[in-house]
Amino acid sequence: MALEVGVLIGYLVIFLAVLLGPFKIHVIEENLEPFLLVCGIAAMTLSGFTEIPGEEMGWNSEIIMEALTAPLHVGDIAGIPIGIFQIVLVVGLIIYKWHSPIHKVIRKLTDMLSVKVLGFILIVGLGLSSSVMSAILAAIILVEVVNAMPLSRKSKVDLTIVACFSIGLGAALTPLGEPLSTIAISKLAGEPYHAGFTFLLDMLGKYIIPGIFAYGIIGMFFLGKVSPKDQGMAAADYNETVKDVIMRAVKVYVFIAALVLLGEGFKPIILEYFIQIPSGILYWVNMVSAILDNATLAAAEIGPALSELQIKSILMGLLIAGGMLIPGNIPNIISAGKLGITSKEWARLGVPLGLISMAIYFVIIFVLGV
């Protein structure tokens, strides 16, 4: 059954607020995390006015617990829960304590290698390794290296955005990289795919690995005219306090909780309309992952009844679009928070790069049938 007109209008208002608010209203840009949390709460409340057979909509204890715990738990090490909040906080405190030797090593690398070569190594290296060490840790390493490189602010922003596209793609190759890949594997673990640890690598590797190297070349292009001797080019001095480190971790916590609520709140729209869209169109419709949690979208859209082409189109659409705006991916959130990148700065490169990437992959997957 179709959703009521009033509910659809409500969802449209929330969607436009999340999409346009950070660009149009400075107060929202400055307080993005609480704003997204409010939008997530509104979406969850609105979903309570919908009814879909076999699905529980609206507020319940499970959703509340998921929003509260999702930032705190992505896995366990020796029985200890590990989450995005803990990683950002602990690594941030380590860098606070030993930032001088860390930045010294990075600056030695910039002296030994050209900025272009270091940028290429950073983009490709983090993209390929993010599936093993997780997108979170890759993003933290990225911002520290970028911060210590002798680059203008614009070059740092450009390099960071391109690298986040690479990390977002690479993290999907194994279940260790990000929640989306973990969910996809669990959804396809039974008949007929029997998805295991290397399932996504086998299915998507031929698209993702060349894409990572392509982003490395794109990053070199943006850094092509950069010279450490140029005026205004200098490595940023480390000036964070313990309070700054803690507040960044808290903001990441709120951000992740907000994305959980937004994703769950928009579930009626996803279940009622998205999953009935043909693969080629759904590939483009999944650009909404630029502002919604792509793991939630994957959980709703992917299932064992889908063909391999449908699975490819869903996952690649979600992965690429996730780099377009700050809320689209965990690496974006971490990097933008640390480097103070605004929504407009991110969209300036993220949107065109994402659209071009999606167009290229669309031709490869749907036109050429590779």
Side-chain angles (χ1 to χ4, degrees), residues 36 51 87 134-135 138 144 220 243 255 257 271 275 310 319 336 349 354 358 368-369:
L36 288 178
E51 289 185 13
I87 294 172
S134 86
E144 287 308 319
M220 290 180 73
K243 181 183 176 182
F255 218 134
L271 293 174
I275 59 176
Q310 289 174 313
L319 290 170
L349 175 58
M358 290 198 72
L368 301 179

Side-chain angles (χ1 to χ4, degrees), residues 15 27 65 70 74 78 83 85 103 112 128 152 162-163 172 189 211 218 284 310 330 332-333 351:
F15 181 82
V27 175
M65 284 304 297
V74 293
F85 172 80
H103 279 215
M112 291 166 54
L128 293 175
S152 66
V162 175
I218 291 169
W284 291 102
Q310 289 174 313
I330 291 170
N332 309 4
I333 297 165
V351 170

Side-chain angles (χ1 to χ4, degrees), residues 75 244 299 367:
D244 293 331
V367 179

